[in-house]
Structures are given as C-alpha cells and as structure tokens.
Amino acid sequence: MKQAEKIRIQQEFKDRMDYDELLNCMRCGFCLPSCPTYIESGYDETHSPRGRIALMKAVVDGDIEPDEEVKRSLDMCLGCRACEPVCPSGVNYGHLLEQARDIIYQNKKLPFHIKAVRTLMFKEVFPYQNRMIGLTGLLGFYQRSGAQSLARKTNVMKLFPEHLQLMERILPEAPARKNMKNRPAHLEPAAPKRKKVAFFSGCLMDTMFLPTNDATTKLLQLAGCEIVIPKSQTCCGALHAHSGEKQDAKELAKKNIEAFEEDEIDYIITNAGGCGALLTEYNHLLDDEPQWNDRALRFSEKIKDLSSILVELAFHKQDLKLEDQVVTYQDSCHLKNVQKTFMQPRMLLESIEGAVYTEMKDAGRCCGSAGIYNIVEPEMSMKILDYKMEQARAAKATTIVTANPGCLLQMKLGIEKEGLAGKVRAVHIADLLLEAWEGGKK
C-alpha cells in the first residue's frame, strides 16, 4: 500500500469511524468462541472481532498505519455478525466493519483486473435486473446447449481451481428467459385474505433462484396474503455494503424505498436472509442523510422474513407432509444475528409429518458462503464448510434446509465435496414447505 493511500485512509478513519462504538468494546472476549475465522485461523487474535476492533481503533489513534495486514484482517472477516448477539456491550460490529472496508476500498488503488471485475459486477450488473436476466440467460445457454457437457467431458474445468470446479457442478438450472421477463406485479390470495404484503423479489432470487421466488409467493397466497411486487425495485445492495461500496448501496436503498412507498401494505416480505438483514438496516445505512431518515425507518420497520409471517398466519398448522426423511436446518447468519429470526423456521420444519427434525450442532455458525467470500477467500471458506458438513453428518440429515441463496449453494457445494450427492440434498425452506403442502393434499 502506497504511503499516500495510507495517509488518506488514516485520515478518513479519524473522520468517519464511530469512535464511541470502538470504545464500546470492552475486550472481554465473549465474541471469540462465536467467530469462525478466529477458530479456524488457530485462535489468531487479528482474525477475531475484538482484534479487528483493536486494529480499527489503533488506526484512528495513529498507533499503527492502515497497512496490508490491517486490510487482510478485515477482508478475512465473514461479516456473519455472530459476535453481536453475545456481546455484553452491544457493539455494532457489522456497522464498524462496513465503514472500515468502505474507507479502505474507496482510497486504495486496486489491481486493474480486480477493479474491472468489481466495477462490472457492482456497478454494471447487480443494479440492473435486465442485465441479471441476460447473465442468467447465458448460464442457461451454457447448460442447455451442450457446452456444459462438452466442458466436463474434455476436462476443461480442470483448468480452474477445485472450489470453482465444484461450484460449477452445483449451480441451479437457469430458468427460461421468458419466465424471468414475465413476472407478476400483483397476486390475489388463495385463501381468505388476512394481510396485504409486498414481496422483495431481489436480483439473484428473481433470476437464478426464480423457482424459489415462485414457491414463496405461492406460500404467501396459501396463507391468505394479497401480494404486490413493485416493478421498480432493485438489488438490495447487501453485496455492495459488505464489499466496501457503501455509496452504491445507499443509492440502491433509495430506489427500493421509493419503490415500496407506493402501496399501503402490512409488511415487506423477504426470503433471503442476507437481503433481509440489510433491508432492516436501511435506516442506519442512510443515517447521515436527514431527508431519508424517516422514510428509511418506515421501510425497515416493515421488513419481515417469510418464515415469520407464515408462523404468524399459522401456516404450520396446515396439513404438511413429506416422505420420511431426516431434516436439519442451517441458519442464515444474517437472518439469525441481524433479523433475530431463529425459532420460526424450526417451528415450520417440526410441523411437517414424515420429516424428523434434528438440530445440527452449531447450526448458527456461518457456513462460509458470506456473499462472495467463498470465491475470494476459498481456503478459509472451505475450512468452515468442512466443519459444517461434519455437523450435518453427525445429525444424520438427508435434507439440509437453508433460508438464503448463498447458504444454499454452499451447502450444495459441501454435499458435492463430501461425495454425498444422491444421498443428501440441500433445499431452500420455501421450496420444502411448498413440497410439504402439496404432499399434504395427496
């Protein structure tokens, strides 16, 4: 890191970091057992929450320079925020992490290829749904044209790192372009109306995971919800906020707030833990823009996860049935640690006839997906995944349920990595619940 960059970063740390929040950390160590990177790094304090906070404070105080080691420590963090619920001082670690990363990435000159990829994905693809549809369409062409079979037969995939080879194998089948284009804007309830909700459809969820979104809206209809799906909504901005692109996240937040202000609704429903967590924190994201404060707060207060509204509307008391199987649940970190949604998914799963629910040890520990973490930090991600798969094996699960697309892909990757394909499956909770509802009607 060049000296001029260090000076700029250090000054911005002094100007922008919440010093009171940094001082709020008592260094008690309660966070240590909850931090996957601290454990998997061999108990290295620089890869613990309190260690990272100490580094941030030292940069603000001028005791150390914001060098590559500081950046490395912050990059290694999953951002799972498991440290927050166990912190006796209530330190908002996730907010500190996002601010520190933003300062570094907005002031450090990145290698050309990394900057090009970041610009392409964060600024030119994720904010534009038509481009997400186009990208997913290319994946569909690759899968259906024979190119995928050819790539595997000719061992072309062996040119890529092992973790990327595994990822290629577990990518979901891309939906048809026409199905991604023809999305409903309004759906009537399929039972007596009890709520009017809006659905946050997301970018990846409404393209690569389109069947899960369809399952979600079907469940909401069956529970008695009238659904509006604003056409002008966009990417939630979570990947941007977590990756040092805070200004872009703020612009996306404003577009979403405007999109969902048009209708009088009870809740805004999400089915992706990572998206939902940032949506609930739009008021914090925009706390330095007074003209947006109240609007962001009203938006955030309406966010509710799919499992929460289904329990509220007693969907778990319907006839739900599956063929005999052992089911376990892998918490989405942000759903559990930020949205505080923990029991509702379990209540739903435990209500399914034929499904024997078994709690996995450390179900709330991060699976190692963490947005794009499993791509940019594969070694640590795979260590964390290996531990998670040990717990899934110990639970004797044949079905691993998740509530976030990244977690779903990571668990599928773990199944493939462990040679369990065909014996164990990973499934989003919305898809499993719809399968169980259909099973209950037979």
Side-chain angles (χ1 to χ4, degrees):
M1 194 179 292
K2 295 180 180 178
Q3 192 60 33
E5 292 173 346
K6 292 180 182 178
I7 293 172
R8 286 198 304 271
I9 291 170
Q10 190 141 36
Q11 187 58 51
E12 287 214 29
F13 261 69
K14 291 179 180 179
D15 294 342
R16 294 173 56 192
M17 293 300 295
D18 186 338
Y19 199 70
D20 288 339
E21 197 67 75
L22 291 172
L23 289 176
N24 200 18
C25 176
M26 301 186 301
R27 314 289 191 264
C28 65
F30 277 38
C31 59
L32 300 183
S34 70
C35 179
T37 55
Y38 172 72
I39 294 168
E40 295 298 339
S41 67
Y43 307 105
D44 184 342
E45 276 281 355
T46 61
H47 295 313
S48 73
R50 74 174 180 184
R52 293 182 177 109
I53 290 173
L55 290 176
M56 295 178 207
K57 182 177 179 296
V59 171
V60 174
D61 292 339
D63 294 334
I64 62 172
E65 290 186 328
D67 55 17
E68 290 295 339
E69 288 187 19
V70 173
K71 178 180 177 295
R72 183 67 186 137
S73 174
L74 299 179
D75 284 344
M76 185 66 77
C77 181
L78 292 150
C80 69
R81 297 173 69 168
C83 51
E84 292 184 10
V86 299
C87 177
S89 299
V91 176
N92 290 306
Y93 173 81
H95 298 168
L96 292 172
L97 177 68
E98 287 177 5
Q99 190 74 321
R101 282 178 171 171
D102 185 60
I103 292 169
I104 290 173
Y105 276 92
Q106 295 308 310
N107 287 281
K108 175 178 167 53
K109 186 175 181 180
L110 300 172
F112 174 78
H113 66 287
I114 294 178
K115 184 175 181 179
V117 171
R118 287 174 65 92
T119 299
L120 176 66
M121 299 310 296
F122 292 139
K123 298 182 185 296
E124 303 299 333
V125 177
F126 283 111
Y128 302 98
Q129 195 64 0
N130 281 337
R131 296 177 189 177
M132 290 293 297
I133 290 171
L135 192 62
T136 306
L138 287 176
L139 173 62
F141 175 79
Y142 168 73
Q143 291 173 331
R144 292 187 281 268
S145 66
Q148 184 178 54
S149 297
L150 182 63
R152 292 176 178 179
K153 287 178 181 177
T154 56
N155 291 325
V156 169
M157 292 308 302
K158 290 190 179 296
L159 298 174
F160 295 90
E162 183 181 0
H163 72 286
L164 292 182
Q165 294 178 42
L166 289 171
M167 286 181 187
E168 188 270 344
R169 288 184 215 163
I170 53 88
L171 286 175
E173 183 178 343
R177 184 184 292 265
K178 66 178 182 179
N179 292 338
M180 291 186 282
K181 285 279 190 180
N182 299 323
R183 304 300 292 141
H186 182 268
L187 293 167
E188 293 290 343
K193 180 180 172 181
R194 301 178 65 189
K195 298 288 181 182
K196 182 178 181 181
V197 303
F199 177 50
F200 186 84
S201 51
C203 50
L204 272 176
M205 290 303 299
D206 218 37
T207 49
M208 190 178 293
F209 296 92
L210 185 62
T212 300
N213 266 7
D214 288 340
T216 298
T217 53
K218 180 68 173 176
L219 291 170
L220 291 171
Q221 288 178 286
L222 292 169
C225 293
E226 178 187 356
I227 310 168
V228 293
I229 309 171
K231 290 287 188 182
S232 56
Q233 65 177 294
T234 185
C235 171
C236 68
L239 287 177
H240 302 74
H242 303 331
S243 302
E245 301 289 343
K246 190 173 182 179
Q247 188 57 43
D248 288 337
K250 291 169 74 171
E251 294 307 313
L252 293 170
K254 293 172 186 177
K255 290 179 181 178
N256 282 322
I257 291 168
E258 290 176 332
F260 284 86
E261 283 177 330
E262 297 175 7
D263 294 285
E264 287 294 325
I265 52 174
D266 297 304
Y267 303 121
I268 300 170
I269 305 302
T270 70
N271 62 359
C275 297
L278 187 70
L279 298 176
T280 64
E281 295 193 328
Y282 271 5
N283 56 316
H284 167 74
L285 186 65
L286 297 168
D287 65 357
D288 59 345
E289 300 195 31
Q291 68 274 31
W292 285 94
N293 286 166
D294 290 342
R295 296 168 72 181
L297 182 60
R298 285 194 297 271
F299 176 94
S300 293
E301 287 177 340
K302 288 186 177 180
I303 300 299
K304 187 177 283 283
D305 180 67
L306 171 66
S307 61
S308 292
I309 191 171
L310 291 180
V311 169
E312 180 180 325
L313 298 179
F315 187 81
H316 56 302
K317 294 183 180 178
Q318 295 202 31
D319 291 330
L320 304 175
K321 187 174 183 179
L322 292 170
E323 293 183 3
D324 292 348
Q325 56 196 280
V326 178
V327 175
T328 195
Y329 180 68
Q330 160 60 27
D331 284 287
S332 158
C333 295
H334 289 103
L335 184 59
K336 176 178 180 286
N337 300 324
V338 182
Q339 292 181 262
K340 313 302 181 187
T341 301
F342 175 79
M343 287 307 302
Q344 294 91 330
R346 290 165 170 81
M347 289 174 66
L348 290 162
L349 296 175
E350 289 172 349
S351 71
I352 301 173
E353 182 183 345
V356 177
Y357 181 78
T358 303
E359 182 73 8
M360 187 195 319
K361 180 185 175 184
D362 290 333
R365 184 185 291 187
C366 185
C367 64
S369 171
I372 58 172
Y373 188 92
N374 54 2
I375 297 174
V376 298
E377 299 289 349
E379 183 178 353
M380 179 60 76
S381 175
M382 292 303 103
K383 285 182 181 179
I384 293 168
L385 177 60
D386 288 344
Y387 177 82
K388 183 63 63 175
M389 293 310 299
E390 285 178 22
Q391 310 319 313
R393 278 182 180 273
K396 296 182 171 55
T398 55
T399 301
I400 304 172
V401 183
T402 74
N404 188 63
C407 301
L408 179 60
L409 289 180
Q410 186 80 339
M411 299 315 297
K412 285 179 178 286
L413 192 153
I415 290 168
E416 188 75 26
K417 190 169 182 278
E418 295 293 320
L420 297 174
K423 301 175 184 175
V424 179
R425 64 170 176 161
V427 61
H428 191 284
I429 191 169
D431 297 307
L432 190 74
L433 288 173
L434 184 58
E435 180 186 334
W437 182 86
E438 292 170 345
K441 300 303 174 186
K442 292 178 181 178

